[in-house]
Amino acid sequence: MTFSSFAPGRVELLGNHTDYNEGVILSAAINLGITAVGNPRSDHRINLSSSGNPDATVVGDPAMFEPSHGWANYPLGVVKTLTLAGHSIRGFEAHFESNLPTGTGLSSSAALEVAAGSLLRKMFALDIEPMELARICRRAENDFVGVNCGLLDPASSVFGRRDHAIFLDCRTESLTLIPIPSGAALLLIHSGVKHELTGGEYNNRREACFAAAAQLGIPALRDTTSPAVEISNLPDEIKRRALHITGENERVFHAADFLRAGDLVSFGRLMTASHESSRVNFENSTPELDTLVKLAVATDGIYGARLTGGGFGGAIVALADPDLMDEASESIISRYHALTAHQGIAYRCTIGDGAILAA
Ligand code: GLA
């Protein structure tokens, strides 16, 4: 019998690097993602394939991250994590197809893990709640692949819903869906400079946030506010890192209210403020992302723009008026090229369903 799953990429609307600080996030699943098709085997052999990538075969429990397995480490990490959690996985065949660009900050790695996890959940009738599936995928990435990311990516890929933003509280792990008003569309523009999370910068920022919380004597940066951080005697660099997180949490709460009220102009302003904080406080932007945001916010039909995801390259997300979006996108890309010689790529994606709703 053949089984299939689909797991989308996600766009982070606001709440940058707040997930591992037990903070809050607004995100959305997009209509681009990864489809997995497979069937169980009667032995313990795992055969993984993906168009354009080398196949991988493992017999028995995948022991550890194996560089030669490349992309297949993500599904293998999910197998390993499921096994460690006490689920019984036999051998299987699985083929993955993606229409999600990699290196954009749209979370192709989480989509691959969630596609694998959802497929195995169906194939072996595993008793796993959706939030547990998201946690398992995060653990696979943390412990097997070795990237210390938070819950944002897998939770968005699991729970997304068409035309809705996801409000995720990473402390309580509770999630609410907020309808996106009809006059809003998302424009993603890749800067042409790849985003790499394995580069060590992500883990550096994470350490800086934990150091700030420890020095403030609180469990996590979720437990303080921007005014309190301002008057603290944290050293300058750590203070700026902390201010980014407290500011992002505050912006997410305000933005959720603006979204519910249909106030896209105020929502957009918070996105642009978030980018400014990335640039100045968290220093996870790049000159190319800064240029794209600057051009975007000066363009008719754009409510606001910011980098999306980890940073250090990748894409910006802009909140746009759907009627003006095509023109805005062309104008941003041509001015970006004239200024930087980089070729920006626009993705006009819509907000789609997550793995639990998708077929
Ligand atoms: C990456 C990580 C997420 C999150 C974002 C920044 O996408 O995978 O867990 O930390 O960066 O918000």
Side-chain angles (χ1 to χ4, degrees):
M1 184 168 173
T2 301
F3 296 86
S4 66
S5 66
F6 172 78
R10 62 97 191 91
V11 59
E12 175 195 282
L13 298 172
L14 268 175
N16 189 239
H17 287 256
T18 52
D19 56 357
Y20 56 83
N21 290 298
E22 299 184 28
V24 285
I25 300 161
L26 278 168
S27 67
I30 58 177
N31 59 324
L32 306 174
I34 298 183
T35 305
V37 179
N39 52 275
R41 295 173 57 99
S42 51
D43 57 12
H44 284 277
R45 192 182 175 88
I46 299 172
N47 286 333
L48 301 174
S49 61
S50 163
S51 302
N53 292 303
D55 294 352
T57 294
V58 168
V59 179
D61 196 13
M64 58 165 85
F65 183 89
E66 173 62 65
S68 66
H69 284 151
W71 69 276
N73 279 298
Y74 294 87
L76 290 172
V78 174
V79 173
K80 171 88 181 170
T81 313
L82 284 168
T83 310
L84 287 174
H87 298 285
S88 160
I89 313 280
R90 289 195 320 277
F92 64 95
E93 309 275 331
H95 180 77
F96 295 84
E97 283 294 339
S98 173
N99 62 4
L100 189 60
T102 56
T104 45
L106 294 178
S107 198
S108 51
S109 57
L112 187 49
E113 289 151 357
V114 172
S118 309
L119 182 72
L120 295 170
R121 184 171 176 248
K122 290 182 190 171
M123 202 185 264
F124 297 112
L126 307 176
D127 183 16
I128 304 176
E129 292 295 316
M131 190 55 94
E132 179 58 7
L133 179 65
R135 284 192 211 104
I136 283 178
C137 292
R138 176 186 51 184
R139 236 177 289 144
E141 180 119 7
N142 295 168
D143 301 344
F144 195 87
V145 178
V147 178
N148 274 323
C149 60
L151 199 58
L152 160 68
D153 306 342
S156 307
S157 184
V158 169
F159 288 97
R161 184 170 181 162
R162 180 184 292 227
D163 297 331
H164 284 69
I166 300 164
F167 177 93
L168 174 65
D169 184 326
C170 294
R171 170 163 278 170
T172 59
E173 296 189 347
S174 58
L175 189 142
T176 341
L177 294 164
I178 306 175
I180 304 252
S182 57
L186 296 181
L187 172 63
L188 281 151
I189 303 180
H190 190 273
S191 61
V193 179
K194 231 181 168 183
H195 136 110
E196 262 308 345
L197 268 197
T198 44
E201 294 286 14
Y202 183 87
N203 287 348
N204 287 347
R205 294 301 185 277
R206 194 180 146 97
E207 292 310 320
C209 291
F210 294 163
Q215 288 179 41
L216 292 168
I218 50 176
L221 287 175
R222 169 67 179 274
D223 298 299
T224 188
T225 60
S226 297
V229 173
E230 278 296 359
I231 57 163
S232 72
N233 40 29
L234 287 176
D236 174 64
E237 187 178 292
I238 294 221
K239 184 184 272 192
R240 284 185 288 116
R241 305 295 188 248
L243 280 173
H244 181 61
I245 305 304
T246 52
E248 284 295 278
N249 282 331
E250 289 149 10
R251 281 185 280 276
V252 167
F253 282 117
H254 286 131
D257 289 341
F258 290 140
L259 208 53
R260 290 190 185 97
D263 182 352
L264 298 174
V265 171
S266 302
F267 190 99
R269 273 198 204 113
L270 291 178
M271 290 175 75
T272 309
S274 162
H275 186 81
E276 186 60 10
S277 174
S278 271
R279 189 179 75 79
V280 174
N281 290 328
F282 216 60
E283 295 180 283
N284 63 333
S285 184
T286 61
E288 293 80 14
L289 293 171
D290 295 343
T291 302
L292 276 176
V293 166
K294 213 187 268 175
L295 292 171
V297 297
T299 304
D300 271 357
I302 302 291
Y303 296 110
R306 63 183 289 273
L307 67 81
T308 185
F312 311 107
I316 65 155
V317 56
L319 189 68
D321 176 335
D323 297 334
L324 301 176
M325 188 160 80
D326 285 347
E327 218 175 298
S329 155
E330 274 161 33
S331 141
I332 296 165
I333 285 183
S334 77
R335 283 180 295 152
Y336 177 65
H337 184 67
L339 285 172
T340 67
H342 284 294
Q343 190 54 56
I345 307 166
Y347 297 97
R348 290 174 189 97
C349 48
T350 56
I351 298 183
D353 284 338
I356 51 167
L357 291 173

